[in-house]
Amino acid sequence: MVNFRPVLFVIGLVLSKIALFMYVPTLVAFFSGTAGFLEFGQAVLITHMVAFICLSVGRTTRFKLSVRDMFLITSLVWTIASAFAALPFVFINHISFTDAYFETMSGITTTGSTVLSGLDGMAPSILLWRSILQWLGGIGFIVMAVAVLPMLNVGGMKLFHTESSDWSDKSSPRAKTVAKNIVLVYLTLTGLCLIGYMLTGMNLFEAINHSFTTLSTGGYSTSDGSMNHFSNGAHWVATLFMFLGGLPFLLFVSALRKRRLDELFKDAQVRGFTILFLASSVVISSWLVIRDGYSVLDAMRVSMFNIVSVVTTTGFGLEDFTAWGALPTTLFAFLMMAGACSGSTSGGIKVFRFQIAMTLLNKQMMKLIHPSGVFVQRYNNRPVNDDIVRSIIAFGLTFFITIIVIAGALSAMGLDPITSISGAITAVANVGPGMGAVIGPTGNFAPLPDAAKWILSLGMLMGRLEILTLLVLFFPAFWRR
């Protein structure tokens, strides 16, 4: 059976940290004299009280987590944290809890879908809170991808098992060092992004918010116009740091330790992601120059921005790429699902799964040519065992089944096919905007029925947790002794 006391204790710890981060927008509201001080104060008090109860009930002298406990904690932490982080939206924006939970789940999973409009005139405290949620979700997923998912062998993530994935006492000092270095890299890149934005004309508040949501590949903005509201220079800064947010953060740590930037490009994932990004940019840029008469520089800027925004599942808006014609729309539909690198802040299927699928295809073709031959499947100069291949196949199957089921449910509610299919894809892949007039780059998710928002919230959570982590909880065998 699941040991619920440690589970409650971890939930209490997470809620206490959520409450602490709520103090930041609370102070912003107080010192700026704008809305939100009392409302955030209420949210802080409620969250602290529940955190204290969970910590008190869950405190134990023997704190040992089994794999089953880790599955439950990973799912419950994101679900419950979103419920309490949604309180400021209810208190300040006076929206329903359904809308508030959708907005929070979208933020903390760094999806970027929104039900809010009128951002340009919204209280600074709530705008900052949205950005903080995405920033926390980004670093939270990096830690989960490095330390938790490889240990749970979810979706082939065991391929990236390192000492930081081992929770034994022997390697815990090493794991803590790796975690600290990842946080340091995350903070440094956030700071550099902030400076870059300020140099391109953003004020301090805009730069802070957008640096949080750029590096976390979240996509929330302080303006309804998203990045259309800012200068061309800001678009280039965003493109650079969205790309960096799509790279494995463990490689950043390795590159800094060895003082060699070429460490990044020794990784097959990084090379594959870079090739995908550059090749797609060349295709779309050429299309815009030839078909729509863009200048070469403008075509590069808008194509590279939108491609990296979609493939890293950031979701920033810059022009409406669905109006560029059939070829770009088809390519973007694939890029919405592709994702960037494992161990980054991005969602989606991830590049490494496509690469391993190609090595599997190559192995199968060689077996057809040489039936008696023995071929070892390798990735990043490491052998890929059958356990990892099975895990990747299971993930791929459930990924597409989840999209089909969610799209079917949305269609049953009366939503049009474009909205249903792109909404399902954008939720499970954690992209942000969908396609079509309702939820496309120039729309939002507010017009959708409440039931659709709850289904999409579940889809966002499943996508962020690599689907199988959450799905395993619905199997009766999970709860048996």
Side-chain angles (χ1 to χ4, degrees):
M1 291 292 289
V2 174
N3 188 358
F4 283 100
R5 288 174 71 92
V7 172
L8 272 177
F9 188 80
V10 172
I11 291 171
L13 282 177
V14 172
L15 289 181
S16 67
K17 300 302 182 288
I18 291 287
L20 288 175
F21 275 98
M22 283 184 186
Y23 282 107
V24 178
T26 306
L27 292 173
V28 167
F30 178 77
F31 287 109
S32 65
T34 54
F37 175 68
L38 292 177
E39 292 85 350
F40 264 105
Q42 287 178 285
V44 167
L45 184 61
I46 293 170
T47 309
H48 267 313
M49 286 176 61
V50 176
F52 176 76
I53 293 170
C54 290
L55 288 170
S56 301
V57 174
R59 194 176 299 279
T60 177
T61 54
R62 292 183 69 249
F63 192 87
K64 188 174 182 179
L65 295 173
S66 66
V67 171
R68 186 177 300 185
D69 297 331
M70 291 300 301
F71 274 114
L72 188 60
I73 286 173
T74 305
S75 299
L76 286 181
V77 159
W78 294 73
T79 307
I80 295 173
S82 295
F84 287 89
L87 295 177
F89 294 106
V90 176
F91 297 155
I92 298 173
N93 295 86
H94 305 293
I95 58 177
S96 67
F97 184 75
T98 295
D99 281 354
Y101 193 85
F102 178 92
E103 189 77 13
T104 305
M105 181 60 76
S106 176
I108 211 163
T109 58
T110 71
T111 303
S113 304
T114 184
V115 297
L116 299 180
S117 56
L119 299 177
D120 299 84
M122 199 167 285
S125 58
I126 204 70
L127 291 175
L128 182 59
W129 182 234
R130 293 169 82 237
S131 302
I132 288 173
L133 285 176
Q134 292 202 322
W135 192 81
L136 291 174
I139 187 63
F141 181 66
I142 292 170
V143 172
M144 187 176 72
V146 168
V148 179
L149 295 181
M151 184 182 66
L152 300 181
N153 193 21
V154 171
M157 300 292 281
K158 195 170 184 178
L159 188 68
F160 304 101
H161 185 91
T162 64
E163 286 182 77
S164 58
S165 311
D166 191 341
W167 287 53
S168 65
D169 293 335
K170 181 181 177 181
S171 63
S172 58
R174 169 66 176 161
K176 289 178 181 178
T177 302
V178 171
K180 286 178 181 177
N181 287 337
I182 288 174
V183 172
L184 180 61
V185 169
Y186 197 69
L187 287 168
T188 302
L189 290 177
T190 303
L192 292 173
C193 185
L194 187 154
I195 293 169
Y197 277 137
M198 291 189 69
L199 292 175
T200 60
M202 285 189 185
N203 62 39
L204 179 60
F205 183 75
E206 292 169 339
I208 289 172
N209 280 273
H210 286 88
S211 63
F212 283 0
T213 60
T214 300
L215 194 69
S216 65
T217 61
Y220 277 159
S221 178
T222 57
S223 171
D224 286 330
S226 192
M227 293 301 289
N228 291 294
H229 188 73
F230 302 102
S231 67
N232 291 355
H235 302 161
W236 286 112
V237 171
T239 300
L240 171 62
F241 283 94
M242 282 189 286
F243 180 83
L244 294 177
L247 301 182
F249 274 70
L250 270 179
L251 287 184
F252 282 114
V253 172
S254 177
L256 285 175
R257 190 174 66 248
K258 296 179 181 178
R259 289 180 168 79
R260 292 175 59 92
L261 283 178
D262 62 343
E263 284 292 314
L264 289 172
F265 293 95
K266 289 180 180 179
D267 185 78
Q269 260 199 119
V270 175
R271 294 196 302 272
F273 170 51
T274 304
I275 291 169
L276 176 65
F277 167 58
L278 293 178
S280 302
S281 298
V282 169
V283 171
I284 301 299
S285 297
S286 303
W287 176 273
L288 293 177
V289 171
I290 296 168
R291 179 181 180 273
D292 295 330
Y294 278 67
S295 69
V296 173
L297 189 60
D298 279 345
M300 288 176 59
R301 174 175 56 83
V302 297
S303 64
M304 293 177 78
F305 179 97
N306 280 289
I307 286 166
V308 78
S309 178
V310 170
V311 79
T312 61
T313 68
T314 305
F316 274 139
L318 181 63
E319 300 191 12
D320 184 358
F321 58 76
T322 60
W324 291 350
L327 176 63
T329 302
T330 304
L331 181 57
F332 276 112
F334 163 72
L335 294 175
M336 284 174 71
M337 294 185 286
C341 300
S342 174
S344 70
T345 58
S346 69
I349 296 175
K350 304 292 192 310
V351 170
F352 85 91
R353 293 191 176 101
F354 289 102
Q355 292 174 316
I356 290 179
M358 290 304 296
T359 64
L360 181 61
L361 176 61
N362 180 67
K363 179 182 177 181
Q364 186 63 25
M365 295 303 292
M366 294 302 293
K367 288 290 288 183
L368 290 174
I369 298 169
H370 304 286
S372 302
V374 177
F375 304 97
V376 179
Q377 191 175 348
R378 305 184 71 83
Y379 179 73
N380 258 346
N381 298 318
R382 295 171 59 188
V384 179
N385 61 40
D386 291 342
D387 188 35
I388 290 172
V389 173
R390 282 194 299 270
S391 185
I392 289 173
I393 292 172
F395 171 84
L397 181 64
T398 53
F399 184 89
F400 287 106
I401 289 175
T402 303
I403 289 174
I404 292 168
V405 170
I406 291 176
L410 296 179
S411 297
M413 296 175 195
L415 300 180
D416 64 272
I418 296 291
T419 300
S420 299
I421 295 171
S422 67
I425 292 172
T426 196
V428 178
N430 303 123
V431 178
M435 292 183 177
V438 182
I439 61 171
T442 57
N444 73 13
F445 288 72
L448 270 56
D450 282 358
K453 291 169 187 171
W454 283 109
I455 290 172
L456 290 172
S457 295
L458 176 62
M460 287 186 260
L461 181 63
M462 291 183 74
R464 185 81 288 188
L465 301 185
E466 303 282 338
I467 300 178
L468 298 171
T469 309
L470 185 63
L471 193 62
V472 72
L473 302 184
F474 294 94
F475 280 76
F478 177 85
W479 302 99
R480 294 188 193 126
R481 284 186 179 275

